[in-house]
mmCIF file of all heavy atoms in Angstrom:
data_model
loop_
_atom_site.group_PDB
_atom_site.id
_atom_site.type_symbol
_atom_site.label_atom_id
_atom_site.label_comp_id
_atom_site.label_asym_id
_atom_site.label_seq_id
_atom_site.Cartn_x
_atom_site.Cartn_y
_atom_site.Cartn_z
ATOM 1 N N MET A 1 109.105 110.585 94.875
ATOM 2 C CA MET A 1 108.550 110.625 93.547
ATOM 3 C C MET A 1 109.243 111.698 92.698
ATOM 4 O O MET A 1 109.548 111.470 91.546
ATOM 5 C CB MET A 1 107.053 110.897 93.614
ATOM 6 C CG MET A 1 106.416 110.907 92.243
ATOM 7 S SD MET A 1 104.649 111.038 92.300
ATOM 8 C CE MET A 1 104.442 112.689 91.711
ATOM 9 N N GLN A 2 109.476 112.845 93.312
ATOM 10 C CA GLN A 2 110.098 113.940 92.559
ATOM 11 C C GLN A 2 111.479 113.529 92.070
ATOM 12 O O GLN A 2 111.864 113.864 90.953
ATOM 13 C CB GLN A 2 110.168 115.195 93.436
ATOM 14 C CG GLN A 2 110.678 116.429 92.725
ATOM 15 C CD GLN A 2 112.143 116.705 92.971
ATOM 16 O OE1 GLN A 2 112.708 116.283 93.972
ATOM 17 N NE2 GLN A 2 112.763 117.401 92.067
ATOM 18 N N ASN A 3 112.222 112.787 92.896
ATOM 19 C CA ASN A 3 113.564 112.378 92.483
ATOM 20 C C ASN A 3 113.526 111.461 91.271
ATOM 21 O O ASN A 3 114.336 111.604 90.358
ATOM 22 C CB ASN A 3 114.292 111.703 93.637
ATOM 23 C CG ASN A 3 114.687 112.680 94.718
ATOM 24 O OD1 ASN A 3 114.793 113.874 94.468
ATOM 25 N ND2 ASN A 3 114.888 112.186 95.906
ATOM 26 N N SER A 4 112.583 110.509 91.249
ATOM 27 C CA SER A 4 112.513 109.605 90.107
ATOM 28 C C SER A 4 112.032 110.333 88.852
ATOM 29 O O SER A 4 112.522 110.077 87.753
ATOM 30 C CB SER A 4 111.616 108.410 90.421
ATOM 31 O OG SER A 4 110.308 108.823 90.699
ATOM 32 N N LEU A 5 111.099 111.257 89.009
ATOM 33 C CA LEU A 5 110.629 112.029 87.860
ATOM 34 C C LEU A 5 111.752 112.913 87.322
ATOM 35 O O LEU A 5 111.959 113.024 86.109
ATOM 36 C CB LEU A 5 109.417 112.875 88.248
ATOM 37 C CG LEU A 5 108.720 113.637 87.140
ATOM 38 C CD1 LEU A 5 108.306 112.720 86.001
ATOM 39 C CD2 LEU A 5 107.515 114.366 87.694
ATOM 40 N N SER A 6 112.493 113.508 88.227
ATOM 41 C CA SER A 6 113.625 114.331 87.819
ATOM 42 C C SER A 6 114.674 113.490 87.092
ATOM 43 O O SER A 6 115.205 113.895 86.053
ATOM 44 C CB SER A 6 114.235 115.012 89.048
ATOM 45 O OG SER A 6 115.316 115.819 88.669
ATOM 46 N N ALA A 7 114.945 112.312 87.623
ATOM 47 C CA ALA A 7 115.923 111.422 86.992
ATOM 48 C C ALA A 7 115.464 110.991 85.603
ATOM 49 O O ALA A 7 116.268 110.926 84.668
ATOM 50 C CB ALA A 7 116.174 110.205 87.875
ATOM 51 N N MET A 8 114.172 110.710 85.476
ATOM 52 C CA MET A 8 113.656 110.300 84.164
ATOM 53 C C MET A 8 113.757 111.426 83.141
ATOM 54 O O MET A 8 114.111 111.189 81.988
ATOM 55 C CB MET A 8 112.202 109.839 84.288
ATOM 56 C CG MET A 8 112.062 108.501 84.964
ATOM 57 S SD MET A 8 110.390 107.805 84.918
ATOM 58 C CE MET A 8 109.411 109.104 85.615
ATOM 59 N N THR A 9 113.442 112.651 83.568
ATOM 60 C CA THR A 9 113.523 113.755 82.611
ATOM 61 C C THR A 9 114.971 114.038 82.227
ATOM 62 O O THR A 9 115.261 114.327 81.065
ATOM 63 C CB THR A 9 112.839 115.032 83.144
ATOM 64 O OG1 THR A 9 113.386 115.375 84.416
ATOM 65 C CG2 THR A 9 111.339 114.839 83.276
ATOM 66 N N GLN A 10 115.877 113.918 83.186
ATOM 67 C CA GLN A 10 117.299 114.103 82.877
ATOM 68 C C GLN A 10 117.786 113.021 81.912
ATOM 69 O O GLN A 10 118.567 113.287 81.007
ATOM 70 C CB GLN A 10 118.145 114.093 84.156
ATOM 71 C CG GLN A 10 118.011 115.333 84.983
ATOM 72 C CD GLN A 10 118.547 116.571 84.263
ATOM 73 O OE1 GLN A 10 119.375 116.505 83.367
ATOM 74 N NE2 GLN A 10 118.038 117.719 84.655
ATOM 75 N N ARG A 11 117.308 111.799 82.126
ATOM 76 C CA ARG A 11 117.689 110.700 81.234
ATOM 77 C C ARG A 11 117.172 110.964 79.814
ATOM 78 O O ARG A 11 117.856 110.684 78.830
ATOM 79 C CB ARG A 11 117.144 109.377 81.778
ATOM 80 C CG ARG A 11 117.531 108.176 80.978
ATOM 81 C CD ARG A 11 119.017 107.873 81.104
ATOM 82 N NE ARG A 11 119.300 106.684 80.324
ATOM 83 C CZ ARG A 11 120.308 106.559 79.479
ATOM 84 N NH1 ARG A 11 121.182 107.532 79.353
ATOM 85 N NH2 ARG A 11 120.476 105.461 78.801
ATOM 86 N N GLY A 12 115.981 111.525 79.713
ATOM 87 C CA GLY A 12 115.443 111.892 78.408
ATOM 88 C C GLY A 12 116.334 112.892 77.690
ATOM 89 O O GLY A 12 116.556 112.790 76.479
ATOM 90 N N VAL A 13 116.856 113.846 78.441
ATOM 91 C CA VAL A 13 117.780 114.832 77.868
ATOM 92 C C VAL A 13 119.036 114.129 77.361
ATOM 93 O O VAL A 13 119.514 114.392 76.251
ATOM 94 C CB VAL A 13 118.150 115.924 78.893
ATOM 95 C CG1 VAL A 13 119.214 116.856 78.330
ATOM 96 C CG2 VAL A 13 116.923 116.711 79.317
ATOM 97 N N GLU A 14 119.557 113.210 78.167
ATOM 98 C CA GLU A 14 120.772 112.491 77.775
ATOM 99 C C GLU A 14 120.548 111.671 76.508
ATOM 100 O O GLU A 14 121.394 111.661 75.611
ATOM 101 C CB GLU A 14 121.222 111.574 78.906
ATOM 102 C CG GLU A 14 121.707 112.300 80.140
ATOM 103 C CD GLU A 14 121.911 111.361 81.315
ATOM 104 O OE1 GLU A 14 121.837 110.126 81.137
ATOM 105 O OE2 GLU A 14 122.136 111.874 82.424
ATOM 106 N N ILE A 15 119.418 110.992 76.433
ATOM 107 C CA ILE A 15 119.139 110.127 75.289
ATOM 108 C C ILE A 15 118.896 110.942 74.022
ATOM 109 O O ILE A 15 119.444 110.637 72.954
ATOM 110 C CB ILE A 15 117.926 109.219 75.576
ATOM 111 C CG1 ILE A 15 118.285 108.196 76.655
ATOM 112 C CG2 ILE A 15 117.437 108.515 74.314
ATOM 113 C CD1 ILE A 15 117.099 107.424 77.190
ATOM 114 N N LEU A 16 118.070 111.968 74.137
ATOM 115 C CA LEU A 16 117.671 112.738 72.963
ATOM 116 C C LEU A 16 118.651 113.847 72.596
ATOM 117 O O LEU A 16 118.683 114.298 71.454
ATOM 118 C CB LEU A 16 116.288 113.345 73.194
ATOM 119 C CG LEU A 16 115.178 112.320 73.424
ATOM 120 C CD1 LEU A 16 113.926 113.004 73.931
ATOM 121 C CD2 LEU A 16 114.913 111.541 72.157
ATOM 122 N N GLY A 17 119.413 114.295 73.581
ATOM 123 C CA GLY A 17 120.343 115.396 73.355
ATOM 124 C C GLY A 17 119.660 116.731 73.622
ATOM 125 O O GLY A 17 118.523 116.940 73.196
ATOM 126 N N PRO A 18 120.337 117.619 74.341
ATOM 127 C CA PRO A 18 119.723 118.890 74.706
ATOM 128 C C PRO A 18 119.476 119.820 73.524
ATOM 129 O O PRO A 18 118.718 120.781 73.641
ATOM 130 C CB PRO A 18 120.726 119.495 75.685
ATOM 131 C CG PRO A 18 122.031 118.857 75.345
ATOM 132 C CD PRO A 18 121.695 117.487 74.852
ATOM 133 N N ASP A 19 120.098 119.526 72.380
ATOM 134 C CA ASP A 19 119.941 120.395 71.208
ATOM 135 C C ASP A 19 118.777 119.985 70.313
ATOM 136 O O ASP A 19 118.485 120.683 69.338
ATOM 137 C CB ASP A 19 121.238 120.422 70.400
ATOM 138 C CG ASP A 19 122.390 121.029 71.199
ATOM 139 O OD1 ASP A 19 122.126 121.923 72.027
ATOM 140 O OD2 ASP A 19 123.531 120.594 70.998
ATOM 141 N N THR A 20 118.120 118.877 70.641
ATOM 142 C CA THR A 20 116.952 118.466 69.864
ATOM 143 C C THR A 20 115.704 119.103 70.482
ATOM 144 O O THR A 20 115.701 119.437 71.674
ATOM 145 C CB THR A 20 116.788 116.938 69.867
ATOM 146 O OG1 THR A 20 116.490 116.507 71.202
ATOM 147 C CG2 THR A 20 118.038 116.235 69.352
ATOM 148 N N PRO A 21 114.656 119.287 69.703
ATOM 149 C CA PRO A 21 113.435 119.865 70.271
ATOM 150 C C PRO A 21 112.882 119.043 71.453
ATOM 151 O O PRO A 21 112.519 119.609 72.483
ATOM 152 C CB PRO A 21 112.457 119.876 69.097
ATOM 153 C CG PRO A 21 113.335 119.960 67.884
ATOM 154 C CD PRO A 21 114.546 119.135 68.242
ATOM 155 N N ALA A 22 112.856 117.731 71.298
ATOM 156 C CA ALA A 22 112.337 116.889 72.378
ATOM 157 C C ALA A 22 113.264 116.929 73.597
ATOM 158 O O ALA A 22 112.800 116.985 74.739
ATOM 159 C CB ALA A 22 112.161 115.454 71.899
ATOM 160 N N GLY A 23 114.557 116.912 73.365
ATOM 161 C CA GLY A 23 115.512 116.996 74.470
ATOM 162 C C GLY A 23 115.391 118.314 75.212
ATOM 163 O O GLY A 23 115.479 118.358 76.452
ATOM 164 N N ALA A 24 115.175 119.387 74.479
ATOM 165 C CA ALA A 24 115.006 120.705 75.099
ATOM 166 C C ALA A 24 113.746 120.725 75.964
ATOM 167 O O ALA A 24 113.743 121.296 77.056
ATOM 168 C CB ALA A 24 114.942 121.794 74.034
ATOM 169 N N ARG A 25 112.675 120.072 75.485
ATOM 170 C CA ARG A 25 111.446 120.007 76.295
ATOM 171 C C ARG A 25 111.679 119.193 77.563
ATOM 172 O O ARG A 25 111.197 119.557 78.637
ATOM 173 C CB ARG A 25 110.297 119.426 75.469
ATOM 174 C CG ARG A 25 109.752 120.398 74.444
ATOM 175 C CD ARG A 25 108.453 119.911 73.823
ATOM 176 N NE ARG A 25 108.571 118.629 73.133
ATOM 177 C CZ ARG A 25 108.945 118.485 71.859
ATOM 178 N NH1 ARG A 25 109.254 119.554 71.136
ATOM 179 N NH2 ARG A 25 109.006 117.289 71.308
ATOM 180 N N PHE A 26 112.410 118.090 77.432
ATOM 181 C CA PHE A 26 112.736 117.307 78.623
ATOM 182 C C PHE A 26 113.566 118.136 79.600
ATOM 183 O O PHE A 26 113.362 118.068 80.814
ATOM 184 C CB PHE A 26 113.498 116.026 78.247
ATOM 185 C CG PHE A 26 112.624 114.846 78.016
ATOM 186 C CD1 PHE A 26 112.264 114.467 76.732
ATOM 187 C CD2 PHE A 26 112.153 114.090 79.077
ATOM 188 C CE1 PHE A 26 111.452 113.370 76.507
ATOM 189 C CE2 PHE A 26 111.341 112.990 78.868
ATOM 190 C CZ PHE A 26 110.990 112.627 77.580
ATOM 191 N N GLU A 27 114.488 118.914 79.083
ATOM 192 C CA GLU A 27 115.322 119.757 79.929
ATOM 193 C C GLU A 27 114.473 120.792 80.673
ATOM 194 O O GLU A 27 114.646 121.019 81.870
ATOM 195 C CB GLU A 27 116.400 120.441 79.085
ATOM 196 C CG GLU A 27 117.514 121.054 79.898
ATOM 197 C CD GLU A 27 118.685 121.426 79.018
ATOM 198 O OE1 GLU A 27 118.470 122.048 77.949
ATOM 199 O OE2 GLU A 27 119.812 121.094 79.394
ATOM 200 N N GLN A 28 113.526 121.390 79.966
ATOM 201 C CA GLN A 28 112.617 122.345 80.605
ATOM 202 C C GLN A 28 111.744 121.649 81.644
ATOM 203 O O GLN A 28 111.496 122.193 82.724
ATOM 204 C CB GLN A 28 111.740 123.026 79.559
ATOM 205 C CG GLN A 28 112.487 123.969 78.669
ATOM 206 C CD GLN A 28 111.631 124.491 77.526
ATOM 207 O OE1 GLN A 28 110.520 124.029 77.300
ATOM 208 N NE2 GLN A 28 112.161 125.465 76.798
ATOM 209 N N SER A 29 111.310 120.443 81.329
ATOM 210 C CA SER A 29 110.498 119.683 82.273
ATOM 211 C C SER A 29 111.292 119.363 83.533
ATOM 212 O O SER A 29 110.763 119.432 84.640
ATOM 213 C CB SER A 29 110.005 118.383 81.637
ATOM 214 O OG SER A 29 109.133 118.661 80.571
ATOM 215 N N ALA A 30 112.560 119.013 83.370
ATOM 216 C CA ALA A 30 113.409 118.709 84.519
ATOM 217 C C ALA A 30 113.554 119.932 85.417
ATOM 218 O O ALA A 30 113.494 119.826 86.654
ATOM 219 C CB ALA A 30 114.782 118.225 84.051
ATOM 220 N N GLU A 31 113.715 121.089 84.807
ATOM 221 C CA GLU A 31 113.825 122.329 85.582
ATOM 222 C C GLU A 31 112.520 122.615 86.328
ATOM 223 O O GLU A 31 112.519 122.972 87.512
ATOM 224 C CB GLU A 31 114.170 123.493 84.653
ATOM 225 C CG GLU A 31 114.406 124.792 85.371
ATOM 226 C CD GLU A 31 114.791 125.918 84.423
ATOM 227 O OE1 GLU A 31 114.965 125.682 83.216
ATOM 228 O OE2 GLU A 31 114.895 127.058 84.908
ATOM 229 N N PHE A 32 111.393 122.424 85.644
ATOM 230 C CA PHE A 32 110.094 122.639 86.264
ATOM 231 C C PHE A 32 109.889 121.695 87.450
ATOM 232 O O PHE A 32 109.450 122.111 88.525
ATOM 233 C CB PHE A 32 108.978 122.443 85.230
ATOM 234 C CG PHE A 32 107.602 122.563 85.802
ATOM 235 C CD1 PHE A 32 107.077 123.805 86.114
ATOM 236 C CD2 PHE A 32 106.823 121.438 86.022
ATOM 237 C CE1 PHE A 32 105.807 123.929 86.646
ATOM 238 C CE2 PHE A 32 105.552 121.547 86.549
ATOM 239 C CZ PHE A 32 105.035 122.788 86.861
ATOM 240 N N VAL A 33 110.224 120.422 87.258
ATOM 241 C CA VAL A 33 110.073 119.427 88.333
ATOM 242 C C VAL A 33 110.933 119.823 89.536
ATOM 243 O O VAL A 33 110.495 119.704 90.684
ATOM 244 C CB VAL A 33 110.435 118.015 87.822
ATOM 245 C CG1 VAL A 33 110.598 117.026 88.964
ATOM 246 C CG2 VAL A 33 109.380 117.530 86.844
ATOM 247 N N ALA A 34 112.127 120.301 89.292
ATOM 248 C CA ALA A 34 112.999 120.722 90.398
ATOM 249 C C ALA A 34 112.398 121.902 91.156
ATOM 250 O O ALA A 34 112.422 121.931 92.395
ATOM 251 C CB ALA A 34 114.389 121.091 89.855
ATOM 252 N N ILE A 35 111.838 122.854 90.439
ATOM 253 C CA ILE A 35 111.222 124.028 91.082
ATOM 254 C C ILE A 35 110.006 123.611 91.896
ATOM 255 O O ILE A 35 109.833 124.033 93.047
ATOM 256 C CB ILE A 35 110.871 125.093 90.034
ATOM 257 C CG1 ILE A 35 112.149 125.720 89.475
ATOM 258 C CG2 ILE A 35 109.946 126.156 90.617
ATOM 259 C CD1 ILE A 35 111.931 126.591 88.253
ATOM 260 N N VAL A 36 109.156 122.785 91.311
ATOM 261 C CA VAL A 36 107.961 122.326 92.023
ATOM 262 C C VAL A 36 108.350 121.496 93.243
ATOM 263 O O VAL A 36 107.755 121.647 94.320
ATOM 264 C CB VAL A 36 107.030 121.530 91.071
ATOM 265 C CG1 VAL A 36 105.931 120.829 91.836
ATOM 266 C CG2 VAL A 36 106.454 122.449 90.023
ATOM 267 N N GLY A 37 109.336 120.658 93.097
ATOM 268 C CA GLY A 37 109.800 119.846 94.226
ATOM 269 C C GLY A 37 110.306 120.707 95.373
ATOM 270 O O GLY A 37 109.993 120.446 96.538
ATOM 271 N N ALA A 38 111.074 121.730 95.054
ATOM 272 C CA ALA A 38 111.585 122.626 96.097
ATOM 273 C C ALA A 38 110.444 123.374 96.778
ATOM 274 O O ALA A 38 110.428 123.520 98.014
ATOM 275 C CB ALA A 38 112.584 123.616 95.496
ATOM 276 N N ALA A 39 109.480 123.821 95.998
ATOM 277 C CA ALA A 39 108.331 124.530 96.570
ATOM 278 C C ALA A 39 107.507 123.604 97.457
ATOM 279 O O ALA A 39 107.033 124.011 98.531
ATOM 280 C CB ALA A 39 107.462 125.111 95.460
ATOM 281 N N LEU A 40 107.359 122.359 97.043
ATOM 282 C CA LEU A 40 106.605 121.396 97.845
ATOM 283 C C LEU A 40 107.318 121.094 99.160
ATOM 284 O O LEU A 40 106.684 121.034 100.219
ATOM 285 C CB LEU A 40 106.384 120.113 97.048
ATOM 286 C CG LEU A 40 105.570 119.025 97.739
ATOM 287 C CD1 LEU A 40 104.198 119.540 98.144
ATOM 288 C CD2 LEU A 40 105.438 117.817 96.829
ATOM 289 N N ARG A 41 108.631 120.933 99.110
ATOM 290 C CA ARG A 41 109.390 120.706 100.354
ATOM 291 C C ARG A 41 109.234 121.889 101.301
ATOM 292 O O ARG A 41 109.054 121.715 102.511
ATOM 293 C CB ARG A 41 110.865 120.444 100.038
ATOM 294 C CG ARG A 41 111.131 119.045 99.510
ATOM 295 C CD ARG A 41 112.618 118.739 99.398
ATOM 296 N NE ARG A 41 113.305 119.607 98.463
ATOM 297 C CZ ARG A 41 113.345 119.416 97.150
ATOM 298 N NH1 ARG A 41 112.736 118.399 96.609
ATOM 299 N NH2 ARG A 41 114.006 120.251 96.369
ATOM 300 N N GLN A 42 109.270 123.107 100.771
ATOM 301 C CA GLN A 42 109.108 124.300 101.599
ATOM 302 C C GLN A 42 107.703 124.347 102.201
ATOM 303 O O GLN A 42 107.540 124.641 103.390
ATOM 304 C CB GLN A 42 109.362 125.557 100.766
ATOM 305 C CG GLN A 42 109.266 126.829 101.572
ATOM 306 C CD GLN A 42 109.506 128.070 100.714
ATOM 307 O OE1 GLN A 42 109.587 127.995 99.491
ATOM 308 N NE2 GLN A 42 109.613 129.208 101.356
ATOM 309 N N ALA A 43 106.696 124.028 101.410
ATOM 310 C CA ALA A 43 105.316 124.026 101.916
ATOM 311 C C ALA A 43 105.134 122.971 102.995
ATOM 312 O O ALA A 43 104.465 123.211 104.012
ATOM 313 C CB ALA A 43 104.339 123.792 100.765
ATOM 314 N N MET A 44 105.736 121.813 102.813
ATOM 315 C CA MET A 44 105.629 120.753 103.819
ATOM 316 C C MET A 44 106.280 121.185 105.128
ATOM 317 O O MET A 44 105.752 120.913 106.212
ATOM 318 C CB MET A 44 106.269 119.468 103.293
ATOM 319 C CG MET A 44 105.455 118.829 102.188
ATOM 320 S SD MET A 44 106.297 117.492 101.294
ATOM 321 C CE MET A 44 106.744 116.397 102.591
ATOM 322 N N GLU A 45 107.414 121.857 105.044
ATOM 323 C CA GLU A 45 108.082 122.342 106.260
ATOM 324 C C GLU A 45 107.226 123.394 106.957
ATOM 325 O O GLU A 45 107.098 123.384 108.189
ATOM 326 C CB GLU A 45 109.465 122.900 105.934
ATOM 327 C CG GLU A 45 110.226 123.394 107.138
ATOM 328 C CD GLU A 45 110.403 122.342 108.231
ATOM 329 O OE1 GLU A 45 110.485 121.133 107.923
ATOM 330 O OE2 GLU A 45 110.459 122.719 109.419
ATOM 331 N N GLN A 46 106.636 124.299 106.206
ATOM 332 C CA GLN A 46 105.746 125.304 106.802
ATOM 333 C C GLN A 46 104.567 124.629 107.485
ATOM 334 O O GLN A 46 104.137 125.043 108.563
ATOM 335 C CB GLN A 46 105.256 126.283 105.733
ATOM 336 C CG GLN A 46 106.320 127.221 105.237
ATOM 337 C CD GLN A 46 105.841 128.082 104.078
ATOM 338 O OE1 GLN A 46 104.808 127.814 103.462
ATOM 339 N NE2 GLN A 46 106.605 129.122 103.763
ATOM 340 N N TRP A 47 104.035 123.589 106.872
ATOM 341 C CA TRP A 47 102.910 122.863 107.461
ATOM 342 C C TRP A 47 103.332 122.193 108.766
ATOM 343 O O TRP A 47 102.605 122.236 109.764
ATOM 344 C CB TRP A 47 102.368 121.845 106.471
ATOM 345 C CG TRP A 47 101.191 121.088 107.002
ATOM 346 C CD1 TRP A 47 101.120 119.763 107.252
ATOM 347 C CD2 TRP A 47 99.909 121.622 107.342
ATOM 348 N NE1 TRP A 47 99.886 119.438 107.736
ATOM 349 C CE2 TRP A 47 99.115 120.566 107.794
ATOM 350 C CE3 TRP A 47 99.370 122.905 107.308
ATOM 351 C CZ2 TRP A 47 97.808 120.737 108.216
ATOM 352 C CZ3 TRP A 47 98.059 123.078 107.730
ATOM 353 C CH2 TRP A 47 97.293 122.003 108.171
ATOM 354 N N ARG A 48 104.507 121.590 108.795
ATOM 355 C CA ARG A 48 105.003 120.969 110.034
ATOM 356 C C ARG A 48 105.130 122.000 111.146
ATOM 357 O O ARG A 48 104.789 121.733 112.298
ATOM 358 C CB ARG A 48 106.353 120.290 109.783
ATOM 359 C CG ARG A 48 106.258 119.005 109.034
ATOM 360 C CD ARG A 48 107.627 118.312 108.973
ATOM 361 N NE ARG A 48 107.634 117.392 107.871
ATOM 362 C CZ ARG A 48 108.292 117.563 106.734
ATOM 363 N NH1 ARG A 48 109.052 118.629 106.555
ATOM 364 N NH2 ARG A 48 108.225 116.676 105.771
ATOM 365 N N VAL A 49 105.629 123.179 110.809
ATOM 366 C CA VAL A 49 105.777 124.245 111.800
ATOM 367 C C VAL A 49 104.405 124.647 112.333
ATOM 368 O O VAL A 49 104.214 124.777 113.545
ATOM 369 C CB VAL A 49 106.520 125.465 111.196
ATOM 370 C CG1 VAL A 49 106.427 126.676 112.107
ATOM 371 C CG2 VAL A 49 107.975 125.107 110.926
ATOM 372 N N ARG A 50 103.438 124.813 111.456
ATOM 373 C CA ARG A 50 102.089 125.191 111.893
ATOM 374 C C ARG A 50 101.467 124.124 112.785
ATOM 375 O O ARG A 50 100.826 124.436 113.794
ATOM 376 C CB ARG A 50 101.179 125.451 110.702
ATOM 377 C CG ARG A 50 101.452 126.765 110.054
ATOM 378 C CD ARG A 50 100.397 127.070 109.041
ATOM 379 N NE ARG A 50 100.714 128.332 108.391
ATOM 380 C CZ ARG A 50 99.939 128.914 107.509
ATOM 381 N NH1 ARG A 50 98.802 128.348 107.160
ATOM 382 N NH2 ARG A 50 100.290 130.045 106.965
ATOM 383 N N LEU A 51 101.644 122.866 112.414
ATOM 384 C CA LEU A 51 101.104 121.790 113.246
ATOM 385 C C LEU A 51 101.749 121.794 114.623
ATOM 386 O O LEU A 51 101.070 121.589 115.635
ATOM 387 C CB LEU A 51 101.296 120.440 112.560
ATOM 388 C CG LEU A 51 100.411 120.145 111.354
ATOM 389 C CD1 LEU A 51 100.770 118.794 110.756
ATOM 390 C CD2 LEU A 51 98.942 120.191 111.739
ATOM 391 N N ALA A 52 103.047 122.002 114.656
ATOM 392 C CA ALA A 52 103.755 122.040 115.935
ATOM 393 C C ALA A 52 103.264 123.215 116.772
ATOM 394 O O ALA A 52 103.077 123.094 118.000
ATOM 395 C CB ALA A 52 105.262 122.138 115.703
ATOM 396 N N GLU A 53 103.045 124.358 116.148
ATOM 397 C CA GLU A 53 102.548 125.535 116.869
ATOM 398 C C GLU A 53 101.152 125.283 117.417
ATOM 399 O O GLU A 53 100.850 125.630 118.571
ATOM 400 C CB GLU A 53 102.534 126.765 115.956
ATOM 401 C CG GLU A 53 103.904 127.308 115.644
ATOM 402 C CD GLU A 53 103.890 128.366 114.558
ATOM 403 O OE1 GLU A 53 102.821 128.602 113.922
ATOM 404 O OE2 GLU A 53 104.957 128.981 114.333
ATOM 405 N N ARG A 54 100.300 124.671 116.630
ATOM 406 C CA ARG A 54 98.944 124.351 117.099
ATOM 407 C C ARG A 54 98.994 123.395 118.283
ATOM 408 O O ARG A 54 98.250 123.539 119.248
ATOM 409 C CB ARG A 54 98.125 123.727 115.979
ATOM 410 C CG ARG A 54 97.674 124.700 114.948
ATOM 411 C CD ARG A 54 96.838 123.986 113.919
ATOM 412 N NE ARG A 54 96.585 124.870 112.794
ATOM 413 C CZ ARG A 54 96.111 124.478 111.639
ATOM 414 N NH1 ARG A 54 95.800 123.203 111.439
ATOM 415 N NH2 ARG A 54 95.891 125.346 110.679
ATOM 416 N N SER A 55 99.840 122.407 118.177
ATOM 417 C CA SER A 55 99.957 121.427 119.246
ATOM 418 C C SER A 55 100.457 122.088 120.527
ATOM 419 O O SER A 55 99.971 121.808 121.621
ATOM 420 C CB SER A 55 100.932 120.324 118.814
ATOM 421 O OG SER A 55 101.089 119.388 119.835
ATOM 422 N N ALA A 56 101.420 122.999 120.394
ATOM 423 C CA ALA A 56 101.960 123.698 121.572
ATOM 424 C C ALA A 56 100.900 124.608 122.184
ATOM 425 O O ALA A 56 100.816 124.739 123.420
ATOM 426 C CB ALA A 56 103.185 124.506 121.179
ATOM 427 N N ASP A 57 100.077 125.247 121.361
ATOM 428 C CA ASP A 57 99.025 126.132 121.853
ATOM 429 C C ASP A 57 97.964 125.373 122.618
ATOM 430 O O ASP A 57 97.338 125.913 123.554
ATOM 431 C CB ASP A 57 98.359 126.894 120.700
ATOM 432 C CG ASP A 57 99.258 127.960 120.108
ATOM 433 O OD1 ASP A 57 100.268 128.325 120.750
ATOM 434 O OD2 ASP A 57 98.963 128.426 118.985
ATOM 435 N N ARG A 58 97.724 124.126 122.294
ATOM 436 C CA ARG A 58 96.674 123.343 122.939
ATOM 437 C C ARG A 58 97.128 122.749 124.267
ATOM 438 O O ARG A 58 96.299 122.264 125.023
ATOM 439 C CB ARG A 58 96.225 122.221 122.006
ATOM 440 C CG ARG A 58 95.468 122.770 120.816
ATOM 441 C CD ARG A 58 95.002 121.679 119.909
ATOM 442 N NE ARG A 58 94.323 122.277 118.756
ATOM 443 C CZ ARG A 58 94.204 121.697 117.594
ATOM 444 N NH1 ARG A 58 94.678 120.500 117.396
ATOM 445 N NH2 ARG A 58 93.581 122.312 116.613
ATOM 446 N N GLN A 59 98.398 122.791 124.539
ATOM 447 C CA GLN A 59 98.890 122.181 125.784
ATOM 448 C C GLN A 59 98.903 123.151 126.916
ATOM 449 O O GLN A 59 98.832 124.241 127.023
ATOM 450 C CB GLN A 59 100.271 121.607 125.577
ATOM 451 C CG GLN A 59 100.220 120.436 124.640
ATOM 452 C CD GLN A 59 101.612 119.847 124.396
ATOM 453 O OE1 GLN A 59 102.615 120.313 124.909
ATOM 454 N NE2 GLN A 59 101.657 118.814 123.596
#
């Protein structure tokens, strides 16, 4: 989902132009989506590690 949202916001920048107010907002949105996506991937990896640790502790 993050990839398609990122692609859509980038496309908005291309269509509107980064120098227009709307294009600048799309550009900021694309940056925000990238940051949130990276944070979510990191959180998911931490969760996998915790689940694996719990599973190992129970054996």
